[in-house]
Amino acid sequence: MTNTDLNKVLKYIEENIRVTDQTSIEYLDPKGHIERLDSKQNQIIFGRRGSGKSLLLKSLKENKTEISCISINLEDFKDISFPNSIIQVLRSLIKQLKSEITGKYSFFKAFNKWKESRRIIKEYDRILSKLENRLAQPDNYDESIREKTGAKMSGEAKSGYANSTASLSAEQSEERETSKQIKIDKLNILKNELPDLKELVNQTCNLIDKNIFLILDDFYFIRKGDQPYFIDFFHRLCKNTNMFLKVATIKHRSSLYVQGESYVGMEIGHDAQALNLDYSLENFNALVSFMRELLDHVNTKVGVEIDYKNILTENAFRFLCLASGGVPRDFFSLFISLGNKMINGDKSISKPNVIDCSIENLPNKLEAFKTDTADEKEVLEHYLQFIRDEIIATKKNNSFLVSNSEIQKHPQLNQAIKELVDLRLIHVVNSNTSSAPSDGLRYSAYMVDIGLFPNSNPRDFKQILPDEKDDRGRDDKIRSAPKLAINKFQEYIDSLNIKSELALTE
């Protein structure tokens, strides 16, 4: 291997690490997600930041002649109030629907389609104008209505002399003006207009003779409290039409439905099917194999034949996979840093190098954590701090166990742990294991992110890999990890008197 070859690889990864329309890397699909995503049904794509959601959706848009994909990134609307966020996304959808038919049909060659497209475009323009005006209005407001009521009185008198007559008539009218206040709710107005919108969508599908996939990427940027109502609107818009929802999001940063007096939102298994993109540490060998495939794929795209076993020791590569938590973008980000060390003179990459790079990358991960958690950032920081203090600082371990039965009694703690997993700061190793020695209970085993380590070689600190066995080939190393003290955890959170709570998800 030469530095030139490695430079080519690093440059290619840097150019493709974030998905854009110019991204040339393909989605590697050992789980068959692309074929499933191609189906005519509503689907929710779950995956942590960097897991490949956008790349998978990009592959859906390529080489598809029988469907039309309309893609909207919801990060663009993360700071917009509700329901203006619905209006903005609806405007984007309508503009893209217009572009599907504008200028596509000839007056001379396809007169009927040309005429129909002109009619539909006119309707879309009318709706866009209304939506534009509605954006300037408050979400809820009172409107004064003035009404006039009137009454008329009339009479007639006659007089005559000889052969002549005369008549007099008088008419008196009385008008009364009254006013009243009515509540205007933008969301209800939008809902009332859904039938007309749905009809236009179907007419567009019939005109272009295609089904439409409405792709809503990064759904988790919509405020969690607004999410069920947001997704409910677009689910209603798609229902009984030839348009299907494809929504990409982070699982436990998403609230897809609420159950009150009525059901609002989308329920997995009923209204939509789920695709889970995440590779976890539960099948660590499969994860290691997948990451090797990623690097081999890059070799092919760049046209080099680098044997990465000559760059990273086996232990270093496995720790690199552990540090990624199964997230391809995290894997590539760390690999870029490690590759630059090689170019700058390091002969090979060892485990301490991987840990150092992970620690150096922690600020970037915490910045993404702040961006993704929005108004729940401060609450989750407290939960993370307890785990860091209790497991890393006190127990000096990279692993811990959580009782599956006990954590269910503490919904806020349970939600926090699930969200910290989705935010790539702790990682699931085994969701159903026992402790060693066994106490008859079932546990979930977790590992803290390597970036949270105090340094690359902390003293008296126990580090294990997810698939590490003892001398007798048993999983006792992870099963003997310290147990997270749930009651102590709860007492710590209670002592902070946190006023806000995490929104619970499934």
Side-chain angles (χ1 to χ4, degrees):
M1 181 207 75
T2 65
N3 280 356
T4 301
D5 287 346
L6 184 55
N7 263 321
K8 288 180 181 179
V9 166
L10 298 180
K11 181 182 177 182
Y12 180 81
I13 293 174
E14 287 173 341
E15 290 175 346
N16 290 278
I17 198 165
R18 290 194 177 276
V19 178
T20 66
D21 288 340
Q22 289 73 42
T23 300
S24 61
I25 197 169
E26 288 93 11
Y27 181 80
L28 294 188
D29 193 27
K31 297 182 180 180
H33 289 312
I34 293 176
E35 185 176 355
R36 282 193 62 198
L37 196 61
D38 201 23
S39 61
K40 293 188 280 289
Q41 60 177 313
N42 299 324
Q43 290 169 316
I44 310 293
I45 301 97
F46 290 122
R48 290 166 290 173
R49 179 192 273 254
S51 62
K53 300 185 297 294
S54 298
L55 190 58
L56 173 63
L57 292 171
K58 183 175 182 291
S59 71
L60 179 66
K61 294 184 286 183
E62 295 171 346
N63 303 318
K64 300 295 180 187
T65 57
E66 72 280 4
I67 59 171
S68 177
C69 291
I70 291 179
S71 184
I72 301 172
N73 192 315
L74 298 184
E75 185 177 5
D76 295 339
F77 310 107
K78 63 183 178 182
D79 297 321
I80 295 176
S81 66
F82 183 84
N84 278 354
S85 54
I86 286 181
I87 295 175
Q88 290 284 24
V89 173
L90 198 54
R91 288 174 68 236
S92 180
L93 168 61
I94 290 173
K95 288 177 181 178
Q96 292 187 60
L97 286 172
K98 269 186 61 181
S99 70
E100 288 290 322
I101 58 177
T102 301
K104 300 293 175 66
Y105 305 104
S106 167
F107 176 87
F108 298 102
K109 295 181 179 179
F111 176 76
N112 288 337
K113 286 198 170 188
W114 175 85
K115 183 179 178 182
E116 176 70 354
S117 69
R118 296 279 293 177
R119 182 191 66 79
I120 293 174
I121 289 170
K122 186 176 180 180
E123 281 299 301
Y124 280 142
D125 286 337
R126 182 183 63 80
I127 294 170
L128 284 172
S129 179
K130 284 201 306 181
L131 293 175
E132 188 71 35
N133 292 332
R134 204 166 288 156
L135 281 173
Q137 299 170 348
D139 299 336
N140 295 282
Y141 60 97
D142 294 327
E143 183 172 86
S144 295
I145 303 291
R146 292 184 179 275
E147 295 180 337
K148 286 186 177 181
T149 56
K152 292 183 180 180
M153 299 175 62
S154 63
E156 185 177 88
K158 293 183 179 180
S159 64
Y161 181 75
N163 293 327
S164 65
T165 62
S167 68
L168 299 171
S169 69
E171 183 176 276
Q172 182 179 1
S173 67
E174 180 181 352
E175 288 187 342
R176 186 173 300 161
E177 188 175 272
T178 61
S179 65
K180 61 181 179 179
Q181 300 281 108
I182 63 171
K183 269 286 187 201
I184 303 295
D185 186 317
K186 284 161 72 170
L187 181 57
N188 282 336
I189 292 174
L190 289 168
K191 289 179 180 178
N192 288 332
E193 292 170 347
L194 272 172
D196 292 339
L197 281 170
K198 290 162 70 81
E199 182 61 26
L200 271 179
V201 167
N202 268 336
Q203 289 169 1
T204 304
C205 290
N206 290 335
L207 180 63
I208 64 177
D209 195 24
K210 291 182 181 179
N211 294 303
I212 294 172
F213 285 177
L214 173 56
I215 298 170
L216 300 179
D217 200 3
D218 289 340
F219 173 74
Y220 60 92
F221 278 113
I222 300 297
R223 293 186 181 96
K224 197 187 280 187
D226 299 333
Q227 288 175 3
Y229 305 94
F230 183 97
I231 201 67
D232 182 76
F233 179 86
F234 288 99
H235 177 232
R236 291 188 187 194
L237 177 59
C238 293
K239 193 170 184 178
N240 296 324
T241 72
N242 290 320
M243 185 162 69
F244 303 90
L245 276 174
K246 310 292 179 179
V247 181
T249 191
I250 296 174
K251 186 170 186 177
H252 295 111
R253 292 297 307 156
S254 305
S255 178
L256 294 173
Y257 74 94
V258 290
Q259 182 72 54
E261 293 182 1
S262 62
Y263 171 88
V264 177
M266 291 178 68
E267 188 174 2
I268 298 296
H270 294 281
D271 304 311
Q273 301 302 313
L275 277 73
N276 194 334
L277 270 58
D278 282 328
Y279 279 85
S280 74
L281 305 183
E282 292 200 67
N283 191 344
F284 191 59
N285 286 329
L287 168 60
V288 172
S289 296
F290 177 67
M291 294 306 179
R292 290 199 188 279
E293 286 179 27
L294 285 180
L295 289 178
D296 289 340
H297 177 65
V298 173
N299 273 358
T300 302
K301 296 294 291 185
V302 176
V304 298
E305 295 182 357
I306 296 176
D307 185 352
Y308 293 98
K309 291 180 181 178
N310 295 330
I311 297 178
L312 295 101
T313 66
E314 180 64 21
N315 200 31
F317 188 82
R318 295 177 78 80
F319 257 82
L320 175 57
C321 294
L322 174 61
S324 76
V327 176
R329 188 187 296 158
D330 287 347
F331 175 86
F332 279 139
S333 294
L334 293 171
F335 183 81
I336 290 170
S337 298
L338 294 168
N340 286 328
K341 288 182 183 293
M342 284 286 297
I343 289 171
N344 291 329
D346 289 358
K347 291 184 179 180
S348 64
I349 300 301
S350 63
K351 168 185 158 184
N353 297 137
V354 173
I355 298 176
D356 274 336
C357 276
S358 299
I359 294 171
E360 291 168 6
N361 188 57
L362 182 64
N364 295 328
K365 190 170 284 191
L366 291 178
E367 192 60 36
F369 164 79
K370 292 175 183 178
T371 301
D372 293 349
T373 53
D375 52 347
E376 294 182 333
K377 172 180 70 70
E378 292 183 7
V379 179
L380 282 166
E381 284 177 338
H382 291 304
Y383 287 96
L384 177 61
Q385 189 60 51
F386 180 85
I387 292 174
R388 293 182 76 168
D389 291 343
E390 185 72 8
I391 302 303
I392 297 176
T394 303
K395 303 295 186 182
K396 296 185 180 300
N397 207 302
N398 72 333
S399 310
F400 62 96
L401 301 176
V402 175
S403 167
N404 289 340
S405 57
E406 191 175 357
I407 196 66
Q408 296 300 323
K409 302 173 186 175
H410 303 268
Q412 286 292 302
L413 300 187
N414 191 32
Q415 180 68 27
I417 289 173
K418 289 189 293 187
E419 292 203 32
L420 290 173
V421 170
D422 277 352
L423 294 163
R424 300 133 55 229
L425 291 165
I426 61 177
H427 309 291
V428 180
V429 180
N430 192 327
S431 56
N432 185 21
T433 187
S434 59
S435 63
S438 178
D439 57 5
L441 299 177
R442 305 305 294 176
Y443 292 86
S444 289
Y446 297 90
M447 285 187 173
V448 295
D449 188 74
I450 289 179
L452 298 172
F453 284 14
N455 55 67
S456 61
N457 192 23
R459 291 183 59 187
D460 302 321
F461 191 78
K462 188 174 182 180
Q463 304 174 35
I464 64 170
L465 286 165
D467 63 339
E468 201 166 339
K469 311 289 184 183
D470 64 12
D471 294 338
R472 298 170 61 183
R474 300 173 302 183
D475 294 326
D476 280 8
K477 289 201 172 185
I478 190 67
R479 291 175 58 240
S480 61
K483 298 170 185 174
L484 191 68
I486 300 297
N487 289 334
K488 184 179 178 181
F489 199 174
Q490 187 65 64
E491 288 171 5
Y492 167 78
I493 296 299
D494 291 342
S495 70
L496 300 173
N497 295 315
I498 301 172
K499 291 184 171 53
S500 58
E501 290 189 337
L502 299 172
L504 302 181
T505 60
E506 284 198 341

